[in-house]
Amino acid sequence: MKITTIKAGNPLSVTELLAELWQYRALIWAFSARDLKVRYFQTIFGPLWVIFTPLITVGVMTFIFGLMIKVPSDDLPYLMFYLVAIVPWYSFISVLSLTISSLEGNSGLINKIYFPRLVIGASYALNGIVDFLVGYIVIIIFAIYFSLLTAQFLLVMPLLLFIQMAWALGLGFLLAPYNAKYRDVKHVIPLFIQFYYFANPIMYPVSVAPTWALWLFKINPFATVIATYRSLLNGHGPDWMLVAYALVMSLVVLACGAFVFMRKGQDMVDVL
Amino acid sequence: MSWAIQVDGLSKKYMLGRGHVQKFDSLYQALGDISVAAANKVTRGKFAELLPKRIEARPPEIQSEHLVLSPSQFVDAPEGEFWALRDLSFRIDMGQRVGIIGKNGSGKSTLLKILSRITSPSEGQYRYRGRLISLLEVGTGFHPDLTGRENIFLNAKINGMSTHEIHRAFDEIVDFSELGAQIDTPIKRYSSGMYMRLAFSVAAHLESEILIVDEVLAVGDAGFQKKCMDRMLAIGNSGRTLIFVSHDMDAVRKVCSVALEMAHGRIVSHGNLLVAGKSPESEGLREGAGLSTVTAAISDYSFGSIRKGARVWENLEHSQLPSGKLAIRKLVLRTASHEGVERLSLSAPFQVGIECIQSLPLRKCEFLLTVQMASGRELFTTRCEFDFSGYKGVQVHKLSCDIPQGLLNAGTYRMSFAFFDPENNSDSRVLSDGVGFDIVAGDAGAGKAMNALIAESPINLVLAWSKEAG
């Protein structure tokens, strides 16, 4: 029989951790199925809300920024211009904010039972992917309507989705233990999210940014994700250098985040 | 025998009070002090008594053994921290059923949290063999909006069971819960009793080599509680390692074979519930002066469908020692002329026959027979140790115990059995559903004055009475 040893101040090694995550893989699905079921329990429109929320936002933005303010849109129809920004943004931000509060928000569970805590964040990411894919179907329908759909737009999507989720999870894991320990973090997060919303080319295209600020978009993987969707719709290829950088950056953050989360998250149960 | 859990020098430090996090408490206090001092200066102390006074937060100075924290728990601990557990070392063998008892704050729950990996130890290490499942709370992770069925799957997966294993146990879980068609109702519409039933049913069917249970048994109505206790006994009997924590000594006695008593973060005594006083390291349990026999393990069981007169086990797996060395095959009540008698006469002696099958070498085995009333209350226990050495292949042994006439008054009774290897106490089996019988006054008892208005105790002893002449 397998012998498990637990030593003080000696957390699991990476291989042990991966083995354990594999053992608990069914739980990732179970959590994510639970959240999906529960979210639309006692609603009439059910999963359609995944589409309604971004569509309403996009409609408002199209009206205000497109028809009233006339923000440049890189020659894209405003509806498309905002759709490819808002759909990824909503799934990104839900994964990020849920993961940040994953320890605190599940303290009832964490206090009573052991399972690898990373499972919670992973299940949020899975739900974020589902949300995104539903929204993506809407994007495709409108892209066909505007005759903007290209093969590349479909083929590059999984990579962009991966970058976006790795980035969200990585940041979430990094911040979750601090959010559990110092409740100050909770007060800062909404502010941070608001800043980040403006720091990304969601309401405006990167092309209107002053040249001295361009680096800010380059180091930010999520800005690259949105910019790439837009340039793909315009028929340009992705800037592979930028995408490769965004991929590396998000993976590094994910690895660091998971490491910090494992090291610090384990003892957070004592302060929850 | 091989170990299931081995603990070496385990310690756990906890913070006292709120710990270091709330730095701003002291900032606020400093601001308050400054403003009070400034106000005093300006008014030259005229209105000092009107200013808000701060109540000094000082730890109480009285130290006594009755406090939850004893002074020993601060020894070698950094400022503002204490030892919730200090230097625990023990070993639990496979198949042992260990009860952990102790007052509130003695460290029981902390120990369980560490054993179940919810929190990590501050010092020391521990090892366990096989899979470990802990039930510190029934229904952990239940979601009110999900149906009973969905919650069964979710809860079992949180406890590390695979989808395949859950499918295998699913029908059994639903049967055990007795929820029937309600299983597809969202559990927020359940009564709290139904909720508990569902939760315990899942918990009772989790498969693991080691099971840790924290006072979760007190659920549901009386019938369901009995079912839960039976299930716990069955888990114990199946050779799995069980750790059970409770304030309820009766529950511990029923389920466990060994007890650990904790106080102030240390183990203060450990003892054998089966044969207290027999093992040399047993100091006896302070709380448990009376927890000496297995008889206690068989209390409070209502009758149910117990067989009368005789009982035969077709499947010896349900009536053998976990080691498989010895099994009871048949229990029979006999009189001088008949075998398998259900109705016994008040005025004639009878005999309990026990037929065992020995299939492995075994030196000794101790048998306990407990007679209970229909209500489940125990009346008495009789015990005997038999020699089984000289094993030469599978062998049938016939044991018997004579019950004298007139010992039991008319009524309905049952007998339960327990037997164990005195050299290895965890190798034990409790047969709570032994055999039932009635004692009737019969025609032989007709001569006796039976007054229905006078309550008689079930046991009737023949003692020496006398009357002085005069």
Side-chain angles (χ1 to χ4, degrees):
Chain A
M1 255 184 281
K2 191 178 153 245
I3 295 179
T4 312
T5 306
I6 283 107
K7 255 195 188 131
N10 197 354
L12 294 180
S13 70
V14 175
T15 45
E16 282 172 317
L17 176 68
L18 290 178
E20 215 173 53
L21 273 179
W22 178 248
Q23 192 199 327
Y24 277 90
R25 65 195 182 279
L27 189 57
I28 302 180
W29 291 103
F31 277 146
S32 119
R34 173 196 67 184
D35 292 343
L36 285 179
K37 270 182 208 153
V38 164
R39 192 153 27 139
Y40 303 112
F41 182 78
Q42 282 186 354
T43 60
I44 294 169
F45 292 107
L48 284 178
W49 282 111
V50 187
I51 304 174
F52 289 166
T53 325
L55 270 186
I56 291 164
T57 315
V58 166
V60 171
M61 290 179 92
T62 304
F63 184 75
I64 294 174
F65 297 112
L67 301 182
M68 288 164 66
I69 305 179
K70 296 195 173 56
V71 169
S73 69
D74 294 348
D75 299 331
L76 284 173
Y78 280 110
L79 194 68
M80 286 313 291
F81 181 78
Y82 287 121
L83 212 49
V84 294
I86 287 298
V87 169
W89 171 258
Y90 271 138
S91 65
F92 170 82
I93 211 64
S94 81
V95 174
L96 176 62
S97 49
L98 283 173
T99 309
I100 289 176
S101 57
S102 63
L103 288 172
E104 186 206 352
N106 290 287
S107 61
L109 213 51
I110 287 174
N111 262 315
K112 292 293 175 193
I113 200 152
Y114 176 81
F115 56 89
R117 311 304 186 205
L118 286 169
V119 163
I120 306 174
S123 79
Y124 291 147
L126 208 58
N127 281 350
I129 289 173
V130 173
D131 286 356
F132 175 83
L133 291 178
V134 174
Y136 193 70
I137 292 170
V138 178
I139 294 179
I140 291 174
I141 291 168
F142 278 102
I144 293 170
Y145 174 78
F146 288 112
S147 333
L148 290 169
L149 191 66
T150 61
Q152 245 186 344
F153 183 76
L154 296 175
L155 290 175
V156 182
M157 181 277 284
L159 178 63
L160 296 179
L161 179 60
F162 181 81
I163 293 175
Q164 166 192 332
M165 288 305 166
W167 179 236
L169 265 189
L171 288 180
F173 282 149
L174 265 179
L175 291 171
Y178 297 99
N179 184 50
K181 187 162 185 184
Y182 305 102
R183 298 288 157 91
D184 310 56
V185 176
K186 198 163 50 186
H187 299 281
V188 178
I189 296 290
L191 205 60
F192 164 78
I193 287 175
Q194 205 178 11
F195 277 133
Y196 195 62
Y197 180 74
F198 287 110
N200 277 296
I202 293 170
M203 288 187 284
Y204 54 86
V206 183
S207 56
V208 299
T211 36
W212 58 263
L214 279 179
W215 66 275
L216 277 172
F217 296 105
K218 285 183 179 159
I219 59 158
N220 173 6
F222 193 69
T224 304
V225 168
I226 294 176
T228 308
Y229 279 126
R230 284 176 180 162
S231 77
L232 286 171
L233 281 181
N234 264 331
H236 309 303
D239 182 343
W240 285 114
M241 273 304 289
L242 215 54
V243 172
Y245 162 76
L247 179 66
V248 171
M249 173 83 171
S250 54
L251 280 177
V252 168
V253 169
L254 179 61
C256 292
F259 181 78
V260 168
F261 189 84
M262 281 311 297
R263 277 293 159 99
K264 298 208 172 253
Q266 183 59 41
D267 284 327
M268 280 309 138
V269 66
D270 295 338
V271 297
L272 277 174
Chain B
M1 201 180 0
S2 61
W3 52 269
I5 291 182
Q6 190 143 25
V7 172
D8 296 309
L10 210 62
S11 297
K12 178 74 184 175
K13 263 191 307 229
Y14 270 133
M15 284 179 299
L16 202 59
R18 283 189 178 138
H20 308 302
V21 175
Q22 280 196 326
K23 297 244 164 62
F24 281 89
D25 266 2
S26 46
L27 188 69
Y28 279 131
Q29 273 180 9
L31 283 173
D33 285 352
I34 291 168
S35 46
V36 168
N40 267 333
K41 204 156 209 175
V42 172
T43 59
R44 294 202 182 85
K46 257 185 208 162
F47 305 106
E49 71 277 9
L50 294 177
L51 291 166
K53 285 198 186 71
R54 212 177 68 223
I55 297 161
E56 279 287 331
R58 209 184 299 128
E61 276 165 23
I62 313 147
Q63 296 285 9
S64 106
E65 279 295 310
H66 297 296
L67 290 181
V68 169
L69 279 176
S70 87
S72 67
Q73 284 174 276
F74 294 98
V75 175
D76 293 335
E79 178 74 31
E81 294 182 49
F82 69 96
W83 296 105
L85 291 180
R86 189 74 173 119
D87 204 18
L88 289 191
S89 298
F90 59 88
R91 195 181 98 154
I92 294 173
D93 287 331
M94 270 164 132
Q96 264 186 329
R97 308 187 298 274
V98 183
I100 301 180
I101 52 176
K103 290 184 191 142
N104 290 331
S106 58
K108 303 187 298 289
S109 297
T110 308
L111 179 59
L112 284 204
K113 274 192 171 181
I114 291 176
L115 291 182
S116 49
R117 299 178 64 190
I118 290 164
T119 185
S120 44
S122 310
E123 281 172 21
Q125 68 158 7
Y126 100 96
R127 290 183 292 167
Y128 63 86
R129 211 193 283 263
R131 195 154 74 164
L132 180 146
I133 286 181
S134 64
L135 303 169
L136 301 197
E137 180 188 69
V138 278
T140 305
F142 269 18
H143 197 290
D145 286 343
L146 296 180
T147 66
R149 181 187 301 275
E150 288 163 340
N151 269 308
I152 290 177
F153 277 88
L154 180 63
N155 192 247
K157 277 181 189 164
I158 292 175
N159 281 298
M161 282 187 47
S162 70
T163 315
H164 176 68
E165 287 171 312
I166 304 167
H167 276 294
R168 213 170 43 200
F170 185 80
D171 290 337
E172 226 177 301
I173 295 176
V174 176
D175 281 351
F176 190 87
S177 72
E178 298 168 0
L179 285 169
Q182 290 275 40
I183 204 75
D184 286 314
T185 306
I187 61 166
K188 66 177 176 185
R189 312 217 197 287
Y190 282 16
S191 73
S192 54
M194 286 162 66
Y195 177 92
M196 287 304 211
R197 268 169 180 260
L198 182 71
F200 191 82
S201 303
V202 190
H205 289 85
L206 297 171
E207 286 166 27
S208 67
E209 282 80 25
I210 304 170
L211 183 66
I212 298 182
V213 182
D214 192 2
E215 331 199 51
V216 289
L217 280 171
V219 303
D221 49 41
F224 193 70
Q225 279 196 22
K226 177 190 171 293
K227 212 169 165 181
C228 294
M229 288 306 289
D230 279 341
R231 180 76 199 175
M232 293 282 286
L233 262 179
I235 288 171
N237 277 334
S238 67
R240 291 160 66 184
T241 310
L242 183 73
I243 300 179
F244 177 52
V245 170
S246 184
H247 295 292
D248 181 2
M249 280 306 300
D250 281 334
V252 171
R253 253 180 261 157
K254 272 180 214 162
V255 172
C256 301
S257 55
V258 182
L260 289 177
E261 189 188 1
M262 294 191 64
H264 304 307
R266 290 169 195 268
I267 292 174
V268 290
S269 72
H270 53 100
N272 214 307
L273 292 174
L274 281 170
V275 277
K278 276 207 172 179
S279 76
E281 71 271 356
S282 162
E283 298 158 21
L285 291 154
R286 233 184 291 153
E287 271 185 80
L291 44 97
S292 51
T293 59
V294 159
T295 57
I298 318 158
S299 67
D300 289 344
Y301 288 98
S302 60
F303 246 92
S305 59
I306 189 152
R307 248 156 277 178
K308 287 189 174 174
R311 169 99 198 252
V312 180
W313 278 269
E314 306 291 349
N315 185 353
L316 295 182
E317 261 175 43
H318 300 306
S319 65
Q320 68 182 7
L321 292 175
S323 64
K325 288 174 182 163
L326 193 71
I328 290 189
R329 188 170 70 183
K330 191 174 173 190
L331 294 172
V332 63
L333 302 178
R334 59 172 86 98
T335 58
S337 52
H338 292 88
E339 186 98 348
V341 187
E342 290 181 26
R343 289 160 69 83
L344 296 152
S345 167
L346 186 75
S347 54
F350 66 97
Q351 192 179 56
V352 186
I354 306 162
E355 204 175 290
C356 314
I357 295 184
Q358 183 184 11
S359 37
L360 285 167
L362 173 71
R363 269 161 45 85
K364 285 175 188 164
C365 188
E366 188 160 348
F367 285 78
L368 282 87
L369 184 162
T370 299
V371 174
Q372 293 165 277
M373 295 206 293
S375 65
R377 212 176 111 204
E378 302 98 336
L379 296 175
F380 63 85
T381 296
T382 171
R383 57 203 288 166
C384 189
E385 194 177 278
F386 290 99
D387 188 21
F388 286 95
S389 53
Y391 174 72
K392 307 184 232 27
V394 177
Q395 223 173 332
V396 177
H397 300 282
K398 288 185 176 172
L399 317 172
S400 61
C401 174
D402 286 307
I403 312 274
Q405 70 180 73
L407 176 64
L408 291 165
N409 275 326
T412 303
Y413 301 92
R414 69 190 293 188
M415 276 177 188
S416 53
F417 288 82
F419 57 112
F420 62 94
D421 180 357
E423 286 161 353
N424 173 12
N425 288 321
S426 60
D427 198 11
S428 66
R429 167 66 71 171
V430 177
L431 300 172
S432 57
D433 50 352
V435 62
F437 58 95
D438 293 327
I439 299 277
V440 289
D443 40 308
K448 233 182 192 169
M450 297 289 286
N451 188 339
L453 295 173
I454 297 171
E456 283 189 45
S457 104
I459 294 186
N460 181 37
L461 291 181
V462 181
L463 301 172
W465 289 54
S466 61
K467 176 174 177 286
E468 272 183 40

